[in-house]
Amino acid sequence: MTRRLTRRWPDTWAGHAACGWAVLFGLAHIYAGFGGARVIIEHSVGKERASGDSFVMVGLFGTGALCLAAAALALALTRPWGRVLPRWMPIVAGWTAAAVLIIHSLGAFVILTLAGADVIELRTEAVRTFGFTETVLWNVFVFEPPFLLGGTLFALATRAFTKRSAASPAPADPAASPATPAEPAPGARTTP
């Protein structure tokens, strides 16, 4: 009998990659909220709004916080402590994160395609400041690919978690195990 030796890439790679993506994406937004990456923010919302608009700043910090929470979700999809929750919770959260990120990215690609075909007109501050072509290029090559990457990683991580959690039972919780009967005290009567 021959045994086939194959090396399998662990099915948790996508969850770890999604965690790394979420941490980097979150920290980038927090950095931009504190005033870093001004060029990128200006190309996103225009020069006027990029210089201290409170709505933009709250959006950057809020996105950073959501991304850091998504990093915890990605780890819950890979680590044993994520199986302590009811199975449906990480699955629903993971698919929701994947859907939101992918829809955000693909929606922007559709809008930019329709605007490029003159079906709709973009009237944003960024278009008025930098022109249509430059705004489209920044969106297609800078802003939207990270959303698509993150959504794809969360979808792969959630799929792997779903398969793993269906194939094996959740780890036993020692606190929930039935108590063993106590030893009777010496000399105590026991009933047969």
Side-chain angles (χ1 to χ4, degrees):
M1 176 171 148
T2 59
R3 193 171 136 193
R4 202 168 97 189
L5 297 176
T6 58
R7 289 194 118 197
R8 256 190 61 192
W9 189 260
D11 61 354
T12 58
W13 72 267
H16 290 104
C19 178
W21 172 88
V23 168
L24 289 175
F25 205 58
L27 291 177
H29 278 80
I30 291 170
Y31 174 71
F34 281 119
R38 183 62 47 203
V39 171
I40 293 175
I41 302 305
E42 287 175 357
H43 277 82
S44 175
V45 297
K47 287 184 179 181
E48 291 176 16
R49 291 191 68 195
S51 59
D53 187 334
S54 61
F55 181 74
V56 172
M57 296 304 120
V58 168
L60 289 169
F61 286 118
T63 301
L66 282 173
C67 286
L68 296 179
L73 168 63
L75 284 180
L77 293 170
T78 61
R79 308 301 303 157
W81 54 263
R83 306 255 331 260
V84 173
L85 299 168
R87 182 174 180 262
W88 64 269
M89 290 176 99
I91 291 172
V92 169
W95 284 122
T96 301
V100 166
L101 292 166
I102 290 171
I103 289 170
H104 178 284
S105 183
L106 295 180
F109 287 134
V110 167
I111 290 170
L112 293 171
T113 302
L114 292 174
D118 287 330
V119 175
I120 62 172
E121 183 180 352
L122 287 181
R123 294 182 185 177
T124 66
E125 180 64 33
V127 170
R128 284 192 291 276
T129 305
F130 300 105
F132 179 76
T133 303
E134 189 171 343
T135 302
V136 168
L137 291 175
W138 271 85
N139 274 281
V140 169
F141 294 109
V142 177
F143 298 130
E144 300 311 324
F147 286 98
L148 188 58
L149 173 64
T152 303
L153 290 173
F154 270 98
L156 292 171
T158 305
R159 181 177 176 268
F161 175 84
T162 303
K163 288 173 67 175
R164 256 191 339 272
S165 63
S168 64
D173 183 9
S177 63
T180 57
E183 289 289 320
R189 277 182 170 266
T190 59
T191 56

